Amino acid sequence: MCDQRQLAEMAKNAGATNAGATNLGAINRRSFGAMGGAALLAGCAAATEGAGAQDAAATGPGVMRSQVSIPTAAGTADATFYHPAEGSHPGIIMWPDIAGVRPASQQMAERLAGEGYAVLHPNPYYRSVSGQQFADFAAFMNQEGFSKVGPWREQNTPDAVMQDARAYVAWLDAQDAVDTTRGIGANGHCMTGSWTFYAAAAVPGRVGAAASMHGGGLVTDSPQSPHRMMQPGTSYLAAISQDDDAKQPEAKQALREAAAAVGAPIEVIVYPADHGWTVLDSPAYDREQAERAWAQMLELYAGL
């Protein structure tokens, strides 16, 4: 999971220094722009919030976008719902990383919808704040984002995440754009990578695929460690960064053994890239390796 030490390492790897915070922002925005971020910013105006998928607007060829509100046991979660304009499709819960919902994460969710999925992109901090809090990852790092989100993160206990997952699955299953004869997938990055395991545990038999992208804390000593909550009806992908693997090399085998113990398929892959490499505006973003991980994720979801 991202912590202050890891964020400092990411900044260092991106060529940033404490005296050159604007340089970090420039690096991130160049990476973001190279992936079409400017086009996204032009088309990412917020839609009116509602109790369901209301006021849908086209965002790209064949993709619809709605700002939605979802009742949960903890309150009302704000989220964005992307789906192909026609037909019903497997549902996906796609959580952003520690910096929360922002144009880069929205672009990733929209892209996944374009692959033929009904994608719910929730605000992970809805218990504390609503909507976007940082323009991009550069803003998160330059505006003391770690300290800001700290109290919000503390509310996302394993039980809270599972509570949310149940609400999101129920909401997705009530949408015409979701094919309820197919399984639901879960996708998370960094802080939320472990949440995909919790989603599968929260709704066993319904969440059929969990993809963790450089997820933190997948193997811990806690009774609620994600690897101890794997489900036989779920297929898993643990995409691990090379630096995370260096810190906890034993996690790979622990994940494989835990999956085998319950009869769950799992792909555990260490990528030659650093923590955060799949996120468009991360200082560690690596386009080549991000595309490899994306393809692996799509292969996982093809089985839903």
Side-chain angles (χ1 to χ4, degrees):
M1 182 178 296
C2 274
D3 56 24
Q4 288 171 307
R5 170 189 49 76
Q6 198 159 34
L7 290 179
E9 291 174 355
M10 291 168 70
K12 180 179 179 181
N13 292 338
T17 64
N18 291 334
T22 55
N23 184 47
L24 172 60
I27 291 170
N28 283 336
R29 292 181 176 89
R30 282 201 298 272
S31 297
F32 185 34
M35 289 299 294
L40 174 73
L41 289 170
C44 245
T48 303
E49 289 191 7
Q54 301 177 353
D55 302 313
T59 64
V63 175
M64 305 298 291
R65 174 185 186 270
S66 301
Q67 195 72 18
V68 302
S69 298
I70 302 173
T72 77
T76 300
D78 57 296
T80 312
F81 185 44
Y82 292 95
H83 61 87
E86 298 181 358
S88 59
H89 310 269
I92 305 288
I93 303 168
M94 186 174 188
W95 280 290
D97 63 8
I98 191 172
V101 173
R102 58 196 189 278
S105 69
Q106 297 280 23
Q107 183 178 357
M108 294 165 69
E110 181 179 343
R111 180 185 179 188
L112 184 56
E115 299 281 359
Y117 296 96
V119 182
L120 183 67
H121 188 49
N123 167 19
Y125 302 126
Y126 78 88
R127 288 174 172 82
S128 302
V129 294
S130 63
Q132 177 179 307
Q133 301 300 309
F134 303 97
D136 51 29
F137 208 96
F140 173 85
M141 296 183 74
N142 295 337
Q143 296 170 17
E144 299 184 352
F146 189 88
S147 297
K148 185 174 182 179
V149 306
W152 311 341
R153 288 174 66 189
E154 291 177 0
Q155 298 188 56
N156 289 319
T157 64
D159 288 335
V161 172
M162 288 190 285
Q163 186 181 76
D164 290 347
R166 294 185 192 100
Y168 298 156
V169 168
W171 187 91
L172 282 167
D173 280 344
Q175 307 308 309
D176 291 340
V178 175
D179 183 352
T180 56
T181 69
R182 306 277 298 275
I184 283 178
N187 175 255
H189 303 75
C190 181
M191 175 187 77
T192 62
S194 62
W195 295 13
T196 65
F197 286 62
Y198 293 135
V203 197
R206 189 71 191 95
V207 175
S212 169
M213 300 296 174
H214 41 87
L218 298 185
V219 177
T220 73
D221 293 331
S222 168
Q224 288 185 306
S225 175
H227 81 294
R228 293 193 172 100
M229 305 185 76
M230 298 174 77
Q231 302 296 312
T234 303
S235 297
Y236 295 85
L237 168 63
I240 302 172
S241 67
Q242 60 187 2
D243 51 343
D244 285 342
D245 180 59
K247 295 180 181 73
Q248 193 183 19
E250 69 279 7
K252 301 186 296 298
Q253 188 60 23
L255 286 165
R256 294 184 180 113
E257 290 176 356
V262 299
I266 189 169
E267 288 283 349
V268 181
I269 303 172
V270 177
Y271 285 78
D274 289 331
H275 185 91
W277 90 89
T278 68
V279 178
L280 290 178
D281 61 355
S282 165
Y285 177 69
D286 182 318
R287 180 170 186 169
E288 178 181 355
Q289 298 306 321
E291 290 300 307
R292 282 188 58 208
W294 183 270
Q296 192 70 35
M297 178 186 68
L298 292 182
E299 183 176 331
L300 177 76
Y301 291 155
L304 289 171

